[in-house]
């Protein structure tokens, strides 16, 4: 019973706060630059590529690089390429561990490439890291 009361109170508080946020900016108190600020903040960030590069993450692979990368990953663990986009994202992110000189790079790979119904061991993580290095995919 107490849980229902708490849930009801939380829902009521949220409803009141949402009503307060739903007002329009068309009145006297409207800020002239409000629309411009919203439009500017929804523009894509140009610093994302620089941030990824600084973290040791390579750019998206080309079609040919992608095919080569997926073949190399499949050699380490055939299941991880079942979800191609996840495998590519995991490979790009794994480069940050490799380029950063992580002492637990093999473990990190085993974690990054374990998703959905796919499990990757630390030994397979080591194979993945060797493949990424061998391909030159993680070039700093």
């Amino acid at each position: 019973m107490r849980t229902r009361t708490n849930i009801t109170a939380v829902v009521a508080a949220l409803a009141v706060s949402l009503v307060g946020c739903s007002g329009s900016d068309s009145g006297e108190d409207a800020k002239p630059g409000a629309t411009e600020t919203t439009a500017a903040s929804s523009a894509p960030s140009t610093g994302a590529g620089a941030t990824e590069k600084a973290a040791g993450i390579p750019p998206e692979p080309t079609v040919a690089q992608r095919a080569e990368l997926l073949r190399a990953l499949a050699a380490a663990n055939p299941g991880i390429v079942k979800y191609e986009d996840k495998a590519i994202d995991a490979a790009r992110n794994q480069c940050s561990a490799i380029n950063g000189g992580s002492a637990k790079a093999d473990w990190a790979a085993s974690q990054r490439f374990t998703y959905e119904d796919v499990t990757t061991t630390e030994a397979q993580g080591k194979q993945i890291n060797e493949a990424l290095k061998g391909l030159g995919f993680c070039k700093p």
Side-chain angles (χ1 to χ4, degrees):
M1 184 77 163
R2 186 174 181 182
T3 303
R4 286 185 186 175
T5 304
N6 289 340
I7 291 173
T8 304
V10 169
V11 170
L14 286 173
V16 169
S17 65
L18 288 175
V19 169
C21 294
S22 66
S24 70
D25 285 337
S26 61
E28 292 175 13
D29 295 334
K31 296 177 186 165
T35 308
E36 296 166 14
T37 304
T38 304
S41 66
S42 64
S45 172
T46 57
T51 304
E52 287 179 347
K53 187 173 183 177
I57 299 173
E60 289 281 337
T62 64
V63 174
Q65 290 171 328
R66 182 181 171 98
E68 184 179 33
L69 179 59
L70 290 171
R71 277 193 300 275
L73 294 173
N77 180 353
I80 61 178
V81 297
K82 182 165 57 168
Y83 306 101
E84 290 182 1
D85 290 337
K86 286 186 180 203
I88 297 297
D89 286 342
R92 291 181 65 223
N93 287 317
Q94 182 59 22
C95 289
S96 66
I98 292 170
N99 291 336
S102 173
K104 295 186 174 189
D106 298 341
W107 175 84
S110 72
Q111 299 302 301
R112 281 194 173 99
F113 288 91
T114 294
Y115 37 74
E116 305 282 333
D117 56 342
V118 178
T119 302
T120 302
T121 66
E122 199 165 332
Q124 291 170 323
K126 182 176 182 170
Q127 290 177 314
I128 290 168
N129 288 333
E130 290 170 357
L132 292 172
K133 291 175 191 174
L135 291 173
F137 182 71
C138 295
K139 292 182 267 188

